[in-house]
């Protein structure tokens, strides 16, 4: 775990960048920020902070788009995630830190590569696909802070447009991150760090909202995935180095 003012500033920058990306695209906070938060705070605190911030940003995004949420379509995803979140929290609490870092790196890297490839998986269609995607997402969200790629893959295979995906991803993010935080508790941060994280989250949300109509979706998505891939590989490398 890093400490000192430089680490605190870096933490604020990471949270701000992740919040901006999520506000623009509907998800991406964890992909961009979780690997860096894990390296700065350690796996347990980094993941649960990613859960808290991603849930808060999703809630902010829903203020403008809650009427577009397809609740019936999201229920199988949420129900399946609710069943696997405790398992992810249990695994994360019991693995040695190097093993957990390496596992997170593998999960993030593999998920990003699948999303970048636009993987088409017939089993991720229909109600069964929703349950499978939700179960995978809940486990990954609770254990590594990155539940979004499984939902993104489901949306691709279900033929959802970006306009349909964003509000539903935000709704899912609020609920499943709440599950994850409930299973693991709040991160143990000092009062100044809570102020810093809250301010960075709010500023990131404002910046993302301002940039949302100015940066093409494809370019924003590519940036998110490249940052996530770099973070996943870095986390994997640190985990393997510590084994």
């Amino acid at each position: 775990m890093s400490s000192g003012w430089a680490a605190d500033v870096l933490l604020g920058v990471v949270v701000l960048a992740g919040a901006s990306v999520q506000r623009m695209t509907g998800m991406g906070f964890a992909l961009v920020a979780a690997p860096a938060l894990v390296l700065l705070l350690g796996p347990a605190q980094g993941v649960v902070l990613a859960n808290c911030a991603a849930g808060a940003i999703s809630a902010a995004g829903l203020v403008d788009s809650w009427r577009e949420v397809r609740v019936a379509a999201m229920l199988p995803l949420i129900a399946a995630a609710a069943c696997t979140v405790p398992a992810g929290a249990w695994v994360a609490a019991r693995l040695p830190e190097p093993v957990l870092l390496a596992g997170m790196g593998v999960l993030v890297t593999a998920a990003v590569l699948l999303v970048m490839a636009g993987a088409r998986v017939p089993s991720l269609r229909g109600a069964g696909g929703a349950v499978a995607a939700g179960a995978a997402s809940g486990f990954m969200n609770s254990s590594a802070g990155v539940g979004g790629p499984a939902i993104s893959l489901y949306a691709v295979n279900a033929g959802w447009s970006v306009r349909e995906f964003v509000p539903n991803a935000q709704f899912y993010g609020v609920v499943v991150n709440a599950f994850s935080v409930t299973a693991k508790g709040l991160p143990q941060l000092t009062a100044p760090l809570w102020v810093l994280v809250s301010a960075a989250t709010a500023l990131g949300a404002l910046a993302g909202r301002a940039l949302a109509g100015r940066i093409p979706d494809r370019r924003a998505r590519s940036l998110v995935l490249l940052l996530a891939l770099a973070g996943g590989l870095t986390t994997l490398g640190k985990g393997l180095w510590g084994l």
Side-chain angles (χ1 to χ4, degrees):
M1 182 185 296
S2 301
S3 60
W5 68 267
D8 292 348
V9 170
L10 181 56
L11 177 67
V13 171
V14 167
V15 171
L16 189 149
S20 300
V21 165
Q22 174 130 347
R23 188 65 180 85
M24 278 191 291
T25 65
M27 68 170 44
F29 180 92
L31 283 174
V32 171
L37 293 178
V38 163
L39 295 176
L40 286 167
L41 299 175
Q45 299 301 309
V47 168
V48 76
L49 179 57
N51 293 148
C52 288
I57 291 296
S58 295
L62 275 179
V63 171
D64 296 328
S65 60
W66 63 270
R67 294 180 182 84
E68 299 169 45
V69 174
R70 296 163 56 182
V71 176
M74 298 307 295
L75 284 178
L77 291 157
I78 290 170
C83 295
T84 56
V85 160
W90 186 87
V91 168
R94 283 159 178 78
L95 289 178
E97 183 169 311
V99 175
L100 189 55
L101 285 172
M104 288 177 181
V106 169
L107 286 175
V108 173
T109 301
V112 170
L113 291 175
L114 284 172
V115 174
M116 290 177 76
R120 296 284 178 175
V121 184
S123 60
L124 285 180
R125 296 173 186 161
V131 170
S137 173
F139 181 86
M140 291 175 65
N141 193 70
S142 183
S143 61
V146 286
I151 302 304
S152 181
L153 284 173
Y154 170 74
V156 167
N157 284 274
W160 288 13
S161 67
V162 173
R163 183 186 178 101
E164 291 175 304
F165 175 72
V166 171
N168 287 287
Q170 289 170 336
F171 174 71
Y172 178 86
V174 169
V175 177
V176 175
N177 281 298
F179 289 161
S180 295
V181 173
T182 300
K184 296 180 293 184
L186 291 170
Q188 301 301 307
L189 303 180
T190 62
L193 271 184
W194 271 118
V195 172
L196 175 65
V197 167
S198 299
T201 301
L203 288 173
L206 291 173
R209 183 175 184 181
L211 293 170
R214 302 180 184 182
I215 299 179
D217 289 338
R218 182 172 294 181
R219 184 173 298 176
R221 180 177 180 273
S222 297
L223 177 61
V224 170
L225 293 174
L226 287 173
L227 289 171
L229 184 60
L233 290 172
T234 301
T235 305
L236 172 60
K238 183 173 182 180
L240 293 176
W241 183 261
L243 290 175

